[in-house]
Amino acid sequence: TSAQDQGAALMMPNTDMIQEVALQTQTYSLDNGTSASIQTAYTTQSGTNAFHGDADYTYASPNIGAAQQPLTPISGFHRNLFLASLGGPIYKNHTFFFGSIEKQVAATASSSLNTSPYFAPEFGAWAVSAFPNSRPAKGILFVPVTRIVGATPELASTVYPTTCGTTQTLDNGNTYNLPCSTPVYMTGGAFEQAQPFDGLQWNVRLDQNFRGGNDRVYVQYERVDQGLGFLAAAPALDGKSPSQNKYFSVNETHIFNS
């Protein structure tokens, strides 16, 4: 963990990387940090004189999980995990390698009440026909809101009760013959989304024995790439926040003669 940000994990190993897990409580050495609680120590896998490895695939979706009752039926949740590892000798009894890779393709579904009115697509179509060179009008039509379900339309007859269908100008502006039956705003409903969360993690470890195995030096490198998607009510406004973590270590082990 981090000595600056107590309790923050600097390295999140996948299951195939781990050979042993040890828990230390309260009295662990100060060289492992200054906070008092519990420490989890991982011993990573190394290569041996025999080749070894495995492959695994895990899938989850609403169809194979417990039923829930959200605000609206939510589609899109899924989780795909691909994991593989391989280790073995490079030079028997002396040099070994081990590597693993994990790929995640996932989306977390959620639903929330919509509290922001938005322009109806029918109003966008009318606006483009009435103002073909207007960029705001094109934005309504070509950046449609499609992730809100169950919204209620507000017609021009409600929004502009005295001027819809005419060119009359009052306090609420000129409606340029906007038909009174045209939906102008959509209100309420629920924002349904399946937020993507993808990632790739891989590690490589090289071991070298010296003096008949009494000394061992190993070098390990791990890299984690993640991408958290941000979904908007209008898909054209979606975004993604990428992140990357790298971990590198060099260790030496010496066996003293008894």
Side-chain angles (χ1 to χ4, degrees):
T1 61
S2 171
Q4 288 74 37
D5 187 6
Q6 297 295 332
L10 297 179
M11 179 181 177
M12 298 296 291
N14 63 61
T15 54
D16 272 11
M17 287 177 57
I18 301 174
Q19 177 176 313
E20 180 181 294
V21 178
L23 298 179
Q24 304 178 50
T25 59
Q26 301 297 339
T27 57
Y28 50 80
S29 172
L30 288 177
D31 59 6
N32 292 319
T34 58
S35 61
S37 182
I38 187 171
Q39 181 188 66
T40 303
Y42 300 101
T43 301
T44 56
Q45 290 268 20
S46 65
T48 64
N49 278 330
F51 287 100
H52 59 92
D54 62 24
D56 180 74
Y57 170 69
T58 303
Y59 173 74
S61 78
N63 296 327
I64 56 177
Q68 298 183 2
Q69 298 297 324
L71 294 174
T72 60
I74 300 175
S75 61
F77 163 72
H78 66 274
R79 182 176 295 118
N80 298 269
L81 291 175
F82 307 88
L83 181 62
S85 65
L86 180 65
I90 297 176
Y91 178 43
K92 192 173 182 179
N93 296 324
H94 294 279
T95 309
F96 311 94
F97 78 93
F98 179 84
S100 69
I101 185 170
E102 181 179 30
K103 173 67 175 178
Q104 173 177 282
V105 179
T108 301
S110 64
S111 182
S112 60
L113 291 176
N114 172 53
T115 58
S116 301
Y118 59 95
F119 287 112
E122 294 86 353
F123 179 73
W126 171 85
V128 169
S129 65
F131 308 98
N133 297 321
S134 170
R135 290 185 177 180
K138 292 179 180 179
I140 299 173
L141 183 62
F142 299 115
V143 187
V145 173
T146 59
R147 292 199 177 106
I148 295 179
V149 296
T152 302
E154 286 193 19
L155 303 182
S157 58
T158 301
V159 180
Y160 307 109
T162 60
T163 59
C164 66
T166 72
T167 59
Q168 184 180 2
T169 301
L170 296 176
D171 292 339
N172 55 358
N174 193 330
T175 54
Y176 298 94
N177 291 313
L178 171 65
C180 294
S181 60
T182 303
V184 177
Y185 297 114
M186 303 295 292
T187 60
F191 179 28
E192 180 180 322
Q193 59 179 318
Q195 187 176 32
F197 183 48
D198 302 332
L200 177 66
Q201 179 192 58
W202 58 273
N203 87 297
V204 175
R205 171 171 165 167
L206 297 176
D207 291 68
Q208 177 66 49
N209 285 341
F210 302 94
R211 299 178 59 247
N214 288 329
D215 291 282
R216 170 177 286 207
V217 175
Y218 74 86
V219 178
Q220 180 165 266
Y221 177 79
E222 180 193 12
R223 174 169 165 168
V224 180
D225 294 280
Q226 296 180 346
L228 177 62
F230 295 95
L231 301 187
L237 303 179
D238 288 351
K240 191 173 185 179
S241 177
S243 65
Q244 184 181 94
N245 293 313
K246 299 178 182 178
Y247 177 85
F248 177 78
S249 65
V250 179
N251 297 268
E252 190 271 338
T253 302
H254 174 73
I255 300 176
F256 293 92
N257 293 327
S258 58

Coordinates of all heavy atoms in Angstrom, one line a residue, residues 10-90:
L10 N -1.6 0.0 -4.0 CA -0.9 0.4 -5.2 C -0.9 -0.7 -6.3 O -0.7 -0.4 -7.5 CB 0.6 0.7 -4.9 CG 0.8 1.9 -3.9 CD1 2.3 2.0 -3.6 CD2 0.3 3.2 -4.5
M11 N -1.2 -1.9 -5.9 CA -1.2 -3.0 -6.8 C -2.4 -3.9 -6.5 O -2.6 -4.3 -5.4 CB 0.1 -3.8 -6.6 CG 0.3 -5.0 -7.5 SD 1.8 -5.9 -7.1 CE 1.7 -7.3 -8.2
M12 N -3.1 -4.2 -7.6 CA -4.3 -5.0 -7.5 C -4.1 -6.3 -8.3 O -4.4 -6.3 -9.5 CB -5.6 -4.3 -7.9 CG -5.9 -3.0 -7.1 SD -6.3 -3.4 -5.4 CE -7.9 -4.2 -5.6
P13 N -3.5 -7.3 -7.7 CA -3.2 -8.5 -8.5 C -4.4 -9.3 -8.9 O -5.4 -9.3 -8.2 CB -2.2 -9.3 -7.6 CG -2.7 -8.9 -6.2 CD -3.1 -7.4 -6.3
N14 N -4.3 -9.9 -10.1 CA -5.4 -10.9 -10.4 C -5.1 -12.2 -9.7 O -4.0 -12.4 -9.2 CB -5.5 -11.0 -12.0 CG -4.2 -11.6 -12.6 OD1 -3.8 -12.7 -12.2 ND2 -3.5 -10.9 -13.4
T15 N -6.1 -13.1 -9.7 CA -6.0 -14.3 -9.0 C -4.8 -15.2 -9.4 O -4.2 -15.9 -8.6 CB -7.3 -15.1 -9.0 OG1 -7.7 -15.3 -10.4 CG2 -8.4 -14.3 -8.4
D16 N -4.6 -15.2 -10.7 CA -3.5 -16.1 -11.2 C -2.1 -15.6 -10.8 O -1.1 -16.4 -10.8 CB -3.6 -16.3 -12.7 CG -4.5 -17.4 -13.1 OD1 -5.2 -17.9 -12.2 OD2 -4.5 -17.7 -14.3
M17 N -2.0 -14.4 -10.5 CA -0.7 -13.8 -10.0 C -0.3 -14.3 -8.6 O 0.9 -14.3 -8.3 CB -0.7 -12.3 -10.1 CG -0.6 -11.7 -11.4 SD -0.8 -9.9 -11.3 CE 0.6 -9.5 -10.2
I18 N -1.3 -14.6 -7.8 CA -1.0 -14.8 -6.4 C -0.7 -16.3 -6.1 O -1.4 -17.2 -6.5 CB -2.3 -14.4 -5.6 CG1 -2.6 -12.9 -5.9 CG2 -2.1 -14.7 -4.1 CD1 -3.9 -12.5 -5.2
Q19 N 0.4 -16.5 -5.3 CA 0.7 -17.8 -4.8 C 0.3 -18.0 -3.4 O -0.1 -19.0 -3.0 CB 2.3 -18.0 -5.0 CG 2.8 -19.4 -4.4 CD 4.2 -19.5 -4.7 OE1 4.7 -19.3 -5.8 NE2 5.0 -19.9 -3.6
E20 N 0.5 -16.9 -2.6 CA 0.2 -17.0 -1.2 C -0.3 -15.6 -0.7 O 0.1 -14.6 -1.2 CB 1.4 -17.4 -0.4 CG 1.3 -17.5 1.1 CD 2.6 -17.9 1.8 OE1 3.1 -19.0 1.5 OE2 3.1 -17.0 2.5
V21 N -1.2 -15.6 0.3 CA -1.7 -14.4 0.9 C -1.5 -14.5 2.4 O -1.8 -15.5 3.0 CB -3.2 -14.2 0.6 CG1 -3.8 -13.0 1.3 CG2 -3.5 -14.1 -0.9
A22 N -0.9 -13.5 3.0 CA -0.7 -13.4 4.4 C -1.3 -12.2 5.0 O -1.2 -11.1 4.5 CB 0.8 -13.5 4.7
L23 N -2.0 -12.3 6.1 CA -2.6 -11.2 6.8 C -1.9 -10.9 8.1 O -1.6 -11.8 8.9 CB -4.1 -11.5 7.2 CG -5.1 -11.8 6.0 CD1 -6.5 -12.1 6.5 CD2 -5.1 -10.6 5.0
Q24 N -1.5 -9.6 8.3 CA -0.8 -9.2 9.4 C -1.6 -8.1 10.1 O -2.1 -7.1 9.5 CB 0.6 -8.6 9.1 CG 1.5 -9.6 8.3 CD 2.8 -9.0 7.9 OE1 3.5 -8.4 8.8 NE2 3.2 -9.1 6.7
T25 N -1.8 -8.2 11.4 CA -2.7 -7.3 12.1 C -1.9 -6.5 13.2 O -1.1 -7.0 13.9 CB -3.9 -8.0 12.8 OG1 -3.3 -9.0 13.7 CG2 -4.7 -8.7 11.8
Q26 N -2.1 -5.2 13.2 CA -1.7 -4.3 14.3 C -0.2 -4.1 14.4 O 0.3 -3.0 14.4 CB -2.3 -4.7 15.6 CG -3.8 -4.7 15.7 CD -4.5 -3.4 15.4 OE1 -3.8 -2.3 15.6 NE2 -5.7 -3.4 15.0
T27 N 0.5 -5.2 14.5 CA 1.9 -5.0 14.9 C 2.9 -5.2 13.8 O 4.1 -5.6 14.0 CB 2.2 -6.1 16.0 OG1 1.9 -7.4 15.5 CG2 1.4 -5.8 17.3
Y28 N 2.5 -5.0 12.5 CA 3.5 -5.2 11.4 C 4.5 -4.1 11.4 O 4.4 -3.0 12.0 CB 2.8 -5.3 10.1 CG 1.8 -4.2 9.8 CD1 2.2 -2.9 9.3 CD2 0.4 -4.4 9.9 CE1 1.3 -1.9 9.0 CE2 -0.5 -3.4 9.6 CZ 0.0 -2.2 9.2 OH -0.9 -1.2 8.9
S29 N 5.7 -4.3 10.8 CA 6.8 -3.5 10.8 C 6.5 -2.1 10.2 O 5.7 -1.9 9.3 CB 8.0 -4.1 10.1 OG 9.0 -3.2 9.9
L30 N 7.2 -1.1 10.7 CA 7.0 0.3 10.3 C 7.5 0.5 8.8 O 7.1 1.4 8.1 CB 7.8 1.3 11.1 CG 7.3 1.5 12.5 CD1 8.2 2.4 13.3 CD2 5.9 2.1 12.5
D31 N 8.3 -0.4 8.3 CA 8.7 -0.3 6.9 C 7.6 -0.6 6.0 O 7.7 -0.4 4.7 CB 10.0 -1.1 6.6 CG 9.7 -2.6 6.8 OD1 8.6 -3.0 7.1 OD2 10.7 -3.4 6.7
N32 N 6.5 -1.1 6.5 CA 5.3 -1.4 5.7 C 4.2 -0.3 5.9 O 3.1 -0.5 5.4 CB 4.7 -2.8 6.0 CG 5.6 -3.9 5.6 OD1 6.2 -3.8 4.5 ND2 5.8 -4.9 6.5
G33 N 4.5 0.8 6.5 CA 3.6 1.9 6.7 C 3.4 2.3 8.1 O 3.9 1.6 9.0
T34 N 2.7 3.4 8.4 CA 2.6 3.9 9.7 C 1.2 3.7 10.3 O 0.9 4.1 11.4 CB 3.0 5.4 9.8 OG1 2.1 6.1 8.8 CG2 4.4 5.5 9.4
S35 N 0.2 3.3 9.5 CA -1.1 3.1 10.0 C -1.3 1.8 10.7 O -0.5 0.9 10.5 CB -2.1 3.2 8.9 OG -1.9 2.2 7.9
A36 N -2.2 1.7 11.6 CA -2.5 0.5 12.4 C -3.8 0.0 12.1 O -4.8 0.6 12.2 CB -2.4 0.9 13.9
S37 N -3.8 -1.2 11.6 CA -5.1 -1.9 11.2 C -4.7 -3.3 10.8 O -4.3 -4.2 11.6 CB -5.8 -1.2 10.1 OG -7.0 -1.9 9.9
I38 N -4.8 -3.6 9.5 CA -4.5 -4.9 8.9 C -3.8 -4.7 7.6 O -4.0 -3.8 6.9 CB -5.8 -5.7 8.7 CG1 -5.5 -7.2 8.3 CG2 -6.7 -5.0 7.7 CD1 -6.7 -8.1 8.3
Q39 N -2.8 -5.6 7.4 CA -2.1 -5.5 6.1 C -2.2 -6.9 5.4 O -2.1 -7.9 6.0 CB -0.6 -5.3 6.4 CG 0.3 -5.2 5.2 CD 1.7 -5.1 5.5 OE1 2.3 -6.1 6.0 NE2 2.4 -4.0 5.2
T40 N -2.4 -6.8 4.1 CA -2.5 -8.0 3.3 C -1.2 -8.0 2.5 O -0.9 -7.1 1.7 CB -3.7 -7.9 2.4 OG1 -4.9 -7.8 3.2 CG2 -3.9 -9.2 1.6
A41 N -0.5 -9.1 2.6 CA 0.8 -9.3 1.9 C 0.6 -10.4 0.8 O 0.1 -11.5 1.2 CB 1.9 -9.7 2.8
Y42 N 0.9 -10.1 -0.4 CA 0.7 -11.1 -1.5 C 2.1 -11.6 -1.9 O 3.1 -10.8 -2.0 CB 0.1 -10.5 -2.7 CG -1.3 -9.9 -2.5 CD1 -1.5 -8.5 -2.4 CD2 -2.4 -10.7 -2.5 CE1 -2.8 -8.0 -2.2 CE2 -3.7 -10.2 -2.3 CZ -3.9 -8.9 -2.1 OH -5.1 -8.4 -1.9
T43 N 2.2 -12.9 -2.1 CA 3.4 -13.5 -2.7 C 3.0 -13.9 -4.1 O 2.1 -14.7 -4.3 CB 3.9 -14.7 -1.9 OG1 4.2 -14.3 -0.6 CG2 5.1 -15.3 -2.6
T44 N 3.7 -13.4 -5.1 CA 3.3 -13.6 -6.5 C 3.9 -14.9 -7.0 O 4.9 -15.4 -6.5 CB 3.7 -12.5 -7.4 OG1 5.1 -12.3 -7.3 CG2 3.0 -11.2 -7.0
Q45 N 3.2 -15.4 -8.0 CA 3.7 -16.7 -8.6 C 5.0 -16.5 -9.3 O 5.3 -15.4 -9.9 CB 2.6 -17.1 -9.7 CG 1.3 -17.6 -9.1 CD 1.3 -19.1 -8.8 OE1 2.4 -19.7 -8.7 NE2 0.1 -19.7 -8.7
S46 N 5.8 -17.6 -9.4 CA 7.0 -17.6 -10.1 C 7.0 -18.8 -11.0 O 6.2 -19.8 -10.8 CB 8.2 -17.6 -9.2 OG 8.2 -18.8 -8.4
G47 N 7.9 -18.8 -12.0 CA 8.1 -20.0 -12.8 C 8.8 -21.1 -12.1 O 9.5 -20.9 -11.0
T48 N 8.7 -22.3 -12.6 CA 9.4 -23.5 -12.0 C 10.0 -24.3 -13.1 O 10.0 -23.9 -14.3 CB 8.4 -24.4 -11.2 OG1 7.4 -24.9 -12.2 CG2 7.6 -23.6 -10.1
N49 N 10.6 -25.5 -12.7 CA 11.2 -26.3 -13.8 C 10.2 -27.0 -14.7 O 10.5 -27.6 -15.7 CB 12.1 -27.4 -13.1 CG 13.4 -26.9 -12.7 OD1 14.0 -26.0 -13.4 ND2 14.0 -27.4 -11.6
A50 N 8.9 -26.9 -14.3 CA 7.8 -27.5 -15.1 C 6.9 -26.4 -15.6 O 6.7 -25.4 -14.9 CB 7.0 -28.5 -14.3
F51 N 6.5 -26.5 -16.8 CA 5.6 -25.5 -17.4 C 4.2 -25.7 -16.7 O 3.7 -26.8 -16.5 CB 5.4 -25.7 -18.9 CG 6.6 -25.2 -19.7 CD1 7.6 -26.2 -20.1 CD2 6.8 -23.9 -19.9 CE1 8.7 -25.7 -20.9 CE2 7.9 -23.5 -20.6 CZ 8.9 -24.4 -21.1
H52 N 3.6 -24.6 -16.4 CA 2.3 -24.6 -15.7 C 1.5 -23.3 -16.1 O 2.1 -22.3 -16.4 CB 2.4 -24.7 -14.2 CG 3.2 -23.5 -13.6 ND1 2.6 -22.4 -13.1 CD2 4.5 -23.4 -13.4 CE1 3.5 -21.6 -12.7 NE2 4.7 -22.1 -12.8
G53 N 0.2 -23.4 -16.1 CA -0.6 -22.3 -16.5 C -2.1 -22.7 -16.5 O -2.4 -23.9 -16.3
D54 N -2.9 -21.8 -16.8 CA -4.4 -22.1 -16.9 C -5.0 -21.0 -17.7 O -4.4 -19.9 -18.0 CB -5.0 -22.2 -15.5 CG -5.0 -21.0 -14.7 OD1 -4.9 -19.9 -15.2 OD2 -5.1 -21.1 -13.4
A55 N -6.3 -21.2 -18.0 CA -7.1 -20.2 -18.6 C -8.5 -20.2 -18.0 O -9.0 -21.3 -17.6 CB -7.2 -20.4 -20.1
D56 N -9.2 -19.1 -17.9 CA -10.5 -19.0 -17.3 C -11.3 -18.0 -17.9 O -10.8 -16.9 -18.4 CB -10.3 -18.7 -15.8 CG -11.6 -18.6 -15.1 OD1 -12.2 -19.7 -14.8 OD2 -12.1 -17.5 -14.7
Y57 N -12.6 -18.2 -18.0 CA -13.6 -17.3 -18.5 C -14.8 -17.2 -17.6 O -15.3 -18.2 -17.2 CB -14.1 -17.6 -19.9 CG -15.2 -16.8 -20.4 CD1 -15.1 -15.5 -20.7 CD2 -16.5 -17.3 -20.5 CE1 -16.1 -14.7 -21.2 CE2 -17.6 -16.6 -21.0 CZ -17.4 -15.2 -21.3 OH -18.4 -14.5 -21.7
T58 N -15.2 -16.0 -17.2 CA -16.3 -15.8 -16.3 C -17.3 -14.8 -16.9 O -16.9 -13.8 -17.4 CB -15.9 -15.2 -14.9 OG1 -14.9 -16.1 -14.3 CG2 -17.0 -15.1 -14.0
Y59 N -18.6 -15.2 -16.8 CA -19.6 -14.3 -17.5 C -20.7 -14.1 -16.4 O -21.1 -15.0 -15.7 CB -20.2 -15.0 -18.7 CG -21.4 -14.3 -19.3 CD1 -21.2 -13.1 -20.0 CD2 -22.6 -14.8 -19.1 CE1 -22.3 -12.4 -20.5 CE2 -23.7 -14.1 -19.7 CZ -23.6 -12.9 -20.4 OH -24.6 -12.3 -20.9
A60 N -21.2 -12.9 -16.4 CA -22.4 -12.6 -15.5 C -23.3 -11.7 -16.3 O -22.9 -10.8 -17.1 CB -21.9 -11.9 -14.2
S61 N -24.6 -11.8 -16.1 CA -25.6 -11.0 -16.7 C -26.9 -11.1 -15.8 O -27.0 -12.0 -15.0 CB -25.9 -11.4 -18.1 OG -26.7 -12.6 -18.1
P62 N -27.9 -10.2 -16.1 CA -29.2 -10.3 -15.3 C -29.9 -11.7 -15.5 O -30.7 -12.0 -14.7 CB -30.0 -9.2 -15.9 CG -29.0 -8.2 -16.5 CD -27.9 -9.1 -17.0
N63 N -29.6 -12.3 -16.6 CA -30.3 -13.6 -16.9 C -29.9 -14.7 -15.9 O -30.6 -15.7 -15.8 CB -30.1 -14.0 -18.3 CG -30.7 -13.1 -19.3 OD1 -31.7 -12.4 -19.0 ND2 -30.1 -12.9 -20.4
I64 N -28.7 -14.6 -15.3 CA -28.2 -15.6 -14.4 C -27.9 -15.1 -13.0 O -27.2 -15.8 -12.2 CB -26.9 -16.3 -15.0 CG1 -25.8 -15.2 -15.2 CG2 -27.2 -17.0 -16.3 CD1 -24.5 -15.7 -15.7
G65 N -28.5 -14.0 -12.7 CA -28.4 -13.4 -11.3 C -29.8 -13.3 -10.6 O -30.8 -13.6 -11.2
A66 N -29.7 -12.9 -9.4 CA -31.0 -12.7 -8.6 C -31.8 -11.6 -9.2 O -31.3 -10.6 -9.7 CB -30.7 -12.4 -7.2
A67 N -33.1 -11.7 -9.2 CA -34.0 -10.7 -9.8 C -34.1 -9.5 -8.9 O -34.0 -9.6 -7.6 CB -35.4 -11.3 -10.0
Q68 N -34.1 -8.3 -9.5 CA -34.3 -7.1 -8.7 C -35.5 -6.3 -9.2 O -36.0 -6.6 -10.3 CB -33.0 -6.2 -8.8 CG -31.8 -6.9 -8.2 CD -30.5 -6.0 -8.3 OE1 -30.6 -4.9 -8.7 NE2 -29.4 -6.6 -7.9
Q69 N -35.8 -5.3 -8.5 CA -37.0 -4.5 -8.9 C -36.5 -3.0 -9.0 O -36.8 -2.2 -8.0 CB -38.1 -4.6 -7.9 CG -38.7 -6.0 -7.8 CD -39.3 -6.5 -9.1 OE1 -39.9 -5.7 -9.9 NE2 -39.2 -7.7 -9.5
P70 N -35.9 -2.6 -10.0 CA -35.4 -1.2 -10.1 C -36.6 -0.3 -10.6 O -37.7 -0.7 -10.7 CB -34.3 -1.3 -11.2 CG -34.8 -2.4 -12.1 CD -35.4 -3.4 -11.1
L71 N -36.3 1.0 -10.8 CA -37.3 1.9 -11.3 C -37.9 1.5 -12.6 O -39.1 1.6 -12.8 CB -36.7 3.3 -11.3 CG -36.2 3.9 -10.0 CD1 -35.5 5.3 -10.3 CD2 -37.4 4.1 -9.1
T72 N -37.1 1.1 -13.5 CA -37.5 0.6 -14.8 C -36.7 -0.6 -15.2 O -35.7 -0.9 -14.6 CB -37.3 1.7 -15.9 OG1 -35.9 2.0 -16.0 CG2 -38.0 3.0 -15.6
P73 N -37.2 -1.5 -16.1 CA -36.4 -2.6 -16.5 C -35.1 -2.1 -17.1 O -35.1 -1.3 -18.0 CB -37.3 -3.3 -17.6 CG -38.7 -2.8 -17.3 CD -38.5 -1.4 -16.7
I74 N -34.0 -2.7 -16.6 CA -32.7 -2.2 -17.0 C -32.0 -3.3 -17.9 O -32.0 -4.5 -17.5 CB -31.8 -1.9 -15.8 CG1 -32.4 -0.8 -14.9 CG2 -30.4 -1.5 -16.2 CD1 -31.7 -0.6 -13.7
S75 N -31.6 -2.9 -19.0 CA -30.9 -3.8 -19.9 C -29.4 -3.4 -20.1 O -29.1 -2.2 -19.8 CB -31.6 -3.8 -21.3 OG -31.5 -2.5 -21.9
G76 N -28.6 -4.3 -20.5 CA -27.2 -3.9 -20.8 C -26.2 -4.4 -19.8 O -25.0 -4.3 -20.1
F77 N -26.6 -4.7 -18.5 CA -25.6 -5.2 -17.6 C -25.0 -6.5 -18.1 O -25.6 -7.4 -18.5 CB -26.2 -5.4 -16.2 CG -25.3 -6.2 -15.3 CD1 -24.2 -5.7 -14.8 CD2 -25.7 -7.5 -15.0 CE1 -23.3 -6.4 -14.0 CE2 -24.8 -8.3 -14.2 CZ -23.7 -7.8 -13.7
H78 N -23.6 -6.5 -18.0 CA -22.9 -7.7 -18.3 C -21.5 -7.6 -17.8 O -21.0 -6.5 -17.5 CB -22.9 -8.0 -19.8 CG -22.1 -7.0 -20.6 ND1 -22.6 -5.8 -21.0 CD2 -20.8 -6.9 -20.9 CE1 -21.7 -5.1 -21.6 NE2 -20.6 -5.7 -21.6
R79 N -20.9 -8.8 -17.5 CA -19.5 -8.8 -17.1 C -18.8 -10.0 -17.7 O -19.2 -11.1 -17.6 CB -19.3 -8.8 -15.6 CG -17.9 -8.8 -15.1 CD -17.8 -8.8 -13.6 NE -18.4 -7.5 -13.1 CZ -19.4 -7.5 -12.3 NH1 -20.1 -8.6 -11.9 NH2 -19.9 -6.3 -11.8
N80 N -17.7 -9.7 -18.5 CA -16.9 -10.8 -19.1 C -15.5 -10.7 -18.6 O -14.9 -9.6 -18.7 CB -16.9 -10.6 -20.6 CG -18.3 -10.8 -21.2 OD1 -18.7 -11.9 -21.6 ND2 -19.0 -9.7 -21.3
L81 N -15.0 -11.7 -18.0 CA -13.6 -11.7 -17.5 C -12.9 -12.9 -18.2 O -13.3 -14.0 -18.2 CB -13.6 -12.0 -16.0 CG -14.1 -10.8 -15.1 CD1 -14.1 -11.2 -13.6 CD2 -13.3 -9.6 -15.3
F82 N -11.7 -12.5 -18.8 CA -10.9 -13.5 -19.5 C -9.5 -13.5 -18.7 O -8.9 -12.4 -18.5 CB -10.6 -13.1 -20.9 CG -11.9 -12.9 -21.7 CD1 -12.5 -11.7 -21.8 CD2 -12.5 -13.9 -22.4 CE1 -13.6 -11.4 -22.5 CE2 -13.6 -13.8 -23.2 CZ -14.2 -12.5 -23.2
L83 N -9.1 -14.6 -18.3 CA -7.9 -14.7 -17.5 C -7.0 -15.9 -18.0 O -7.5 -17.0 -18.2 CB -8.2 -14.9 -16.0 CG -7.1 -15.0 -15.0 CD1 -6.3 -13.7 -15.0 CD2 -7.7 -15.3 -13.6
A84 N -5.7 -15.7 -18.1 CA -4.8 -16.7 -18.5 C -3.4 -16.5 -17.9 O -3.0 -15.3 -17.7 CB -4.7 -16.8 -20.1
S85 N -2.7 -17.6 -17.7 CA -1.3 -17.4 -17.2 C -0.5 -18.6 -17.7 O -1.0 -19.6 -18.1 CB -1.4 -17.5 -15.6 OG -1.8 -18.7 -15.1
L86 N 0.8 -18.4 -17.6 CA 1.8 -19.4 -18.1 C 3.1 -19.1 -17.4 O 3.6 -18.0 -17.3 CB 2.0 -19.3 -19.6 CG 3.0 -20.4 -20.2 CD1 2.5 -21.8 -20.0 CD2 3.2 -20.1 -21.7
G87 N 3.7 -20.2 -16.9 CA 5.1 -20.1 -16.3 C 5.9 -21.3 -16.6 O 5.3 -22.4 -16.9
G88 N 7.2 -21.2 -16.5 CA 8.1 -22.3 -16.7 C 9.5 -21.9 -16.7 O 9.9 -20.8 -16.4
P89 N 10.4 -22.9 -17.1 CA 11.8 -22.6 -17.1 C 12.3 -21.9 -18.4 O 11.8 -22.2 -19.5 CB 12.4 -24.0 -17.0 CG 11.4 -24.9 -17.7 CD 10.1 -24.3 -17.5
I90 N 13.3 -21.1 -18.3 CA 14.1 -20.6 -19.4 C 15.4 -21.4 -19.5 O 15.8 -21.8 -20.5 CB 14.3 -19.1 -19.3 CG1 13.0 -18.3 -19.3 CG2 15.2 -18.6 -20.4 CD1 13.1 -16.8 -19.1

